[in-house]
Amino acid sequence: MSFKEAETIRQTYAQKEKRCAELDTIIGKLYEDNALGKISDSRYEALSQSYEAEQKALKQELPELRVKLQRMQEQ
């Protein structure tokens, strides 16, 4: 694996990890907005499902990227 490929994987991992953390914050605020009546229940459900699906996909990708990073370090 070339240095450029390794750097791309590192950057991708960092971006996905950061986005996953952002989604935790977004989902929390979304819940609060719904609880306070700032958004409707139907809008909350739609947004919540979308954000949770994105986060689930990210959490599935992160271990795969972590394995690639570990393999790079071993080489």
Side-chain angles (χ1 to χ4, degrees), residues 39-52:
I39 61 170
S40 69
D41 290 344
S42 61
R43 188 69 179 146
Y44 167 78
E45 284 297 322
L47 289 169
S48 176
Q49 288 176 4
S50 174
Y51 288 136
E52 287 178 11

Side-chain angles (χ1 to χ4, degrees), residues 15-51:
Q15 288 170 346
K16 289 180 184 284
E17 196 173 46
K18 180 181 176 187
R19 179 62 179 163
C20 197
E22 288 172 346
L23 286 169
D24 278 335
T25 302
I26 290 168
I27 291 168
K29 288 181 179 184
L30 181 64
Y31 176 80
E32 289 178 9
D33 285 349
N34 179 253
L36 296 173
K38 292 181 181 179
I39 61 170
S40 69
D41 290 344
S42 61
R43 188 69 179 146
Y44 167 78
E45 284 297 322
L47 289 169
S48 176
Q49 288 176 4
S50 174
Y51 288 136

Side-chain angles (χ1 to χ4, degrees), residues 45-67:
E45 284 297 322
L47 289 169
S48 176
Q49 288 176 4
S50 174
Y51 288 136
E52 287 178 11
E54 181 184 356
Q55 190 174 49
K56 182 179 178 181
L58 288 170
K59 286 184 176 182
Q60 289 175 345
E61 293 174 29
L62 285 172
E64 296 169 10
L65 290 171
R66 193 175 303 121
V67 168

Side-chain angles (χ1 to χ4, degrees), residues 7-17 61-62 65:
E7 189 58 31
T8 300
I9 292 172
R10 279 189 201 100
Q11 288 175 351
T12 300
Y13 182 84
Q15 288 170 346
K16 289 180 184 284
E17 196 173 46
E61 293 174 29
L62 285 172
L65 290 171

